[in-house]
Amino acid sequence: MELLHQLRQLQLIRPLDLQFARFILSEELRDQAERQLQSQTDDGELLALLAALVSWQLGRGEVCLSLAGVAALLDSWPTTLRERAERLLRAMSESRVLSYAVISDGCCETPLVCSNGRLYLYRYWYYETEVANIILTLTAPVDTDRAAIRAGLKRLFNAPDPGETDWQQVAVAVALSRRFSVISGGPGTGKTTTVARLLSLYAEQFSVRMQRAPVIRLAAPTGKAAARLSESLQSAQQALNASDAVRAMLPDQAVTLHRLLGPRPDSKNFRHNRNNPLHLDLLVVDEASMIDLPMIYRLLDALPAHAQLVMIGDRDQLASVEAGSVLGDICAWQQQEVTGELCYSQEQLNYLQNVCDLQDPPSAPGSNPVADALALLRKSYRFDQHSGIGQLARAVNCGDGEQAARLLSENLGDIGFVPLSESGYQQMVTEVANGYATYLQLMHNGGEPKQLLLAFNQLQLLAVVRQGVYGVEGLNLAIEAQLQRQKLITVTGAWYSGRPVMITRNDYQLGLYNGDIGIAAPDDRGKLRVWFELSDGEIKGFLPGRLPEHETVYAMTVHKSQGSEFDQVVMILPAEDSALLTRELIYTGITRAKTRFVLHATTHALIKGSQRRTERASGLSWRLWQSAGTCQG
């Protein structure tokens, strides 16, 4: 354990990682003692090292530890420690690892599992294999009434231009053909419009087939995302070419995934599971990029045997904060978009050509069943070809940081760039404070809480890190001080009128969820309350002392901004290069903006960050795409 204690002192592993390694080593030595075997020093050190590394990986959002890539993880270690670890790892082979009592290939329940060259905690190996098996089962084709689908699509959608494919129609057709499907698309590609028409056509056909109305549920990972989904779908449904009877069957409120599954107090488990499945026929989940591996497992585990699940999201956004990159792994096939080819099977191509006039099918169809369950929306209706935000997002998404930098220098109307400097920093703080003046002046003039929340959401400052002058904590203090200087707020303690806060821990009893934003303002009797818009649209005020964990939110991290949109976004990148600065993070920050985006950064950080992709160790993509349709431990 000497090596691991040194790593802990250097903060290269966490206390949890060290304790897990100690537990694994003690279990192995106890087993060997019972069998009267003698442990070799190198074997013991190797076992402890691997246990600490797989635990450390999980803390970084990685599902597993790739045994072939372990050496790359040691680059930041001091030379003497790295050389010592590498000597241990060079002596390792998978068969040797499996000789330990605490590691198996999944055939029995051991703390660690070695599978396909990857080392897992047993629970995460189980989640991954179960998710892959369930998805592969659900992507089998279902019986469809092609004539009814074609007629419904023609009624709900305008005819596409000659020679063009309407990818929204393709997405609806794909979702109706499988019990599991994913619709991926960037901002403004019409995901909500597509879902509204999908629900209408599904309800219409289900009621005819089953002689009853379907039970349709809507969900999202966070309260804010659920509220946005509810609001946007209610608006989209008003424009549907559907009968009143069909409209009456459509849902109008979304809930969080936690509320849908039914949390149990003081437990990570939920009321709904395979033994007590959800009561629904169709489940639509928005912002799927935010869903981690344990959550998608619990969702699939609770899905009724007959039900359909449609996941909506942007494959290019940041992965979940917790372990896994589920949407990215499921959508691995869509990287073929670069070549312009489709990977649908011949059977699925025939179906799509029959119901929605798919143009220019590929000469070499694919054969993976998961591909037949995926659809990509490709046309942006929000950002045209001249939009600075749209062009900037595409450049970053393609890894072309130099093109992104050129776009920011061209003075396009909806994007701006301010080089990182002391004067530029103060300019940013002042401009953001001026932007927030709108909701504060409204509050001073007696504005209603709903008006305050709407006004606050017109602008948001995003940061990459939490600590430091360029982090969320430093920015919140700087903006608060600037607002005081402008006499827009009066800070006399932790709570004051106008303070915006974000909830950081779910409270199911209060109906407040991680990511919800509220504003402190007096009620009719002058008593300070914090006002939130709940998932059902109600505006409710809470006494500050009743709130669950929360933080001031003049600035928030890009991760926390997922599921939200703002009229204007100001984003600041750290001065020093950081592994957190990735293509997906910059893209996510840019695409939170609807009308204007301003970046405060160095050109080097923009270029370097655009080139760095988020890569998380996971075997889910392999199980879905490279395992020839099988999923073995």
Side-chain angles (χ1 to χ4, degrees), residues 421-432:
S421 66
E422 187 174 339
S423 60
Y425 180 86
Q426 189 53 49
Q427 173 190 339
M428 177 195 67
V429 168
T430 302
E431 290 180 353
V432 170

Side-chain angles (χ1 to χ4, degrees), residues 4 30 70 102 133 144 152 171 176 250 253 268 272 298 303 312 341 353 384 436 445 450 472 519 530 614:
L4 294 174
R30 181 179 59 80
V70 170
V102 293
N133 282 326
T144 56
L176 292 172
L250 303 183
Q253 290 295 331
K268 291 186 177 181
H272 292 289
R298 292 184 171 97
L303 198 68
I312 314 295
E341 287 290 315
Q353 286 180 289
D384 61 29
Y436 287 144
N445 293 330
K450 187 177 182 68
V472 166
I519 294 175
V530 190
T614 300

Side-chain angles (χ1 to χ4, degrees), residues 17 73 167 193 384 398 419 472 603:
D17 309 328
L73 299 177
W167 295 108
T193 301
D384 61 29
C398 293
V472 166
T603 302

Side-chain angles (χ1 to χ4, degrees), residues 184-228:
S184 175
T189 52
K191 294 190 289 293
T192 302
T193 301
T194 302
V195 170
R197 294 171 183 178
L198 165 64
L199 297 181
S200 174
L201 192 50
Y202 174 86
E204 180 182 299
Q205 297 199 3
F206 184 97
S207 61
V208 170
R209 185 174 69 253
M210 303 300 294
Q211 295 299 298
R212 67 172 177 86
V215 179
I216 303 174
R217 300 294 302 274
L218 307 173
T222 67
K224 181 134 191 171
R228 255 193 71 216

Side-chain angles (χ1 to χ4, degrees), residues 13-14 16-17 20 50-66 73 111-112 119-125 127-128 268 292-294 320-325 616-618:
I13 60 174
R14 302 171 301 167
L16 177 64
D17 309 328
F20 180 64
L50 290 174
L53 287 178
V54 74
S55 175
W56 178 64
Q57 283 282 85
L58 188 62
R60 300 170 64 223
E62 315 277 354
V63 171
C64 58
L65 174 70
S66 171
L73 299 177
L112 296 171
L119 192 63
Y120 299 80
L121 297 183
Y122 180 88
R123 180 188 300 174
Y124 284 83
W125 169 83
Y127 289 156
E128 185 177 279
K268 291 186 177 181
D292 56 42
L293 182 63
S320 60
V321 175
E322 303 299 330
S325 53
R616 285 190 167 177
S618 163

Side-chain angles (χ1 to χ4, degrees), residues 504-554:
T504 58
R505 182 178 58 81
N506 295 335
D507 188 316
Y508 303 105
Q509 291 185 328
L510 294 181
L512 296 175
Y513 300 97
N514 187 4
D516 287 353
I517 291 177
I519 294 175
D523 61 15
D524 293 339
R525 294 176 295 177
K527 192 172 186 64
L528 193 68
R529 293 184 179 271
V530 190
W531 302 90
F532 292 86
E533 182 172 6
L534 305 184
S535 56
D536 61 0
E538 177 190 0
I539 304 297
K540 188 172 180 179
F542 298 87
L543 293 173
R546 292 194 64 200
L547 295 185
E549 294 174 17
H550 55 272
E551 59 188 26
T552 303
V553 72
Y554 294 114

Side-chain angles (χ1 to χ4, degrees), residues 307-318:
Q308 290 182 241
L309 170 62
V310 181
M311 294 175 61
I312 314 295
D314 185 347
R315 61 171 188 178
D316 297 315
Q317 278 192 34
L318 281 165

Side-chain angles (χ1 to χ4, degrees), residues 135-136 138-142 170-183 330 333-334 342-352 358 362 365-376 624-625:
I135 289 176
L136 287 168
L138 296 181
T139 51
V142 298
V170 171
V172 172
V174 166
L176 292 172
S177 72
R178 298 294 187 275
R179 286 185 52 218
F180 174 86
S181 58
V182 172
I183 299 174
I330 294 173
W333 80 290
Q334 291 182 339
L342 292 171
C343 289
Y344 293 126
S345 67
Q346 187 61 61
E347 178 186 5
Q348 186 73 330
L349 285 169
N350 292 339
Y351 161 74
L352 293 173
L358 182 68
S367 59
N368 191 294
V370 182
D372 286 345
L374 309 180
L376 177 64
L624 293 174
W625 299 104

